[in-house]
Amino acid sequence: MSGSSHSSTSIDIWKPDWNDPFDPTAEADDEFAELVDALRSVQEAFTRSRPDTVSAARITQQLRSVAKELQFLEVGEDEQIPGHRWDLAGRGQALAPPLHIDEVTETAARGRVTVGRFYSGRYAMNGGVTPLIFDEIMARLAKDAGRLWARTAYLNVNFRAPAPLHVELRVEAEFERQEGRKRFMRGWMYHEDVLVADADGLWVELKPEQTLNISEIGTV
């Protein structure tokens, strides 16, 4: 599905799965992509606002109405679209900033991201957001090229300079080496030619019994 937009017809039958093709992202204008963009707009607008009590009460009711409508559409994690739209920047979820993937090889990946005030930590990108961005590109590269699924074992981030808001940041990742089930990764984030952060991490290939839904264990 990566690399192409979806029509309103195809999105209705779009089948999410965990098989990430990790291709460059596409600019899509289907209804779900628009929904994600609208949600991000709400996040940014909320962060920038200072509502009075009347406005806050009115908007609260509007948002609770939207949440209730979405609750009627609930499915299991394997069937949900958010997080599985591999063709979109951010995979169709609204937690981490939308990372646009521009280039992917078996051992390297390159992308770009722009963050607004929703991710601010006093006039610059909040430090807690940087690991989210690194984890997105490094984790996807760690299980690319036919490699089995792996989970993050550790992610160490070094902050070198403040990352400004509202400008494009360049993000790079490199598959350093593999030792058995261990995959060692590196990452870098730049504002123009300034290194704002770098990272190293370890991803460990999952055993078959580790692919179970641990959130449901003991709940049935």
Side-chain angles (χ1 to χ4, degrees), residues 7-20:
S7 67
S8 59
T9 300
S10 62
I11 194 64
D12 291 338
I13 61 174
W14 191 79
K15 302 296 184 182
D17 60 41
W18 294 105
N19 297 314
D20 179 6

Side-chain angles (χ1 to χ4, degrees), residues 155-208:
L155 179 61
N156 178 57
V157 178
N158 301 301
F159 299 90
R160 306 298 185 181
L165 307 175
H166 313 299
V167 299
E168 190 172 274
L169 304 173
R170 188 171 80 257
V171 187
E172 300 176 358
E174 180 181 282
F175 190 106
E176 198 169 48
R177 70 185 189 279
Q178 179 155 352
E179 298 176 1
R181 293 169 51 225
K182 298 179 179 180
R183 301 170 192 169
F184 295 88
M185 313 291 296
R186 294 289 309 277
W188 302 265
M189 182 182 295
Y190 297 91
H191 171 223
E192 297 180 346
D193 294 330
V194 177
L195 177 67
V196 298
D198 59 72
D200 63 273
L202 169 64
W203 276 257
V204 178
E205 183 180 308
L206 297 183
K207 299 177 181 178

Side-chain angles (χ1 to χ4, degrees), residues 86-137:
W86 308 109
D87 59 314
L88 299 179
R91 296 178 289 111
Q93 54 80 41
L95 172 64
L99 176 64
H100 295 264
I101 303 299
D102 294 317
E103 185 178 353
V104 179
T105 70
E106 290 190 3
T107 58
R110 179 175 55 82
R112 52 196 160 83
V113 64
T114 302
V115 302
R117 272 167 52 186
F118 178 71
Y119 299 104
S120 176
R122 189 173 174 85
Y123 312 130
M125 185 165 67
N126 188 292
V129 178
T130 308
L132 288 174
I133 298 172
F134 276 130
D135 191 67
E136 173 73 9
I137 192 169

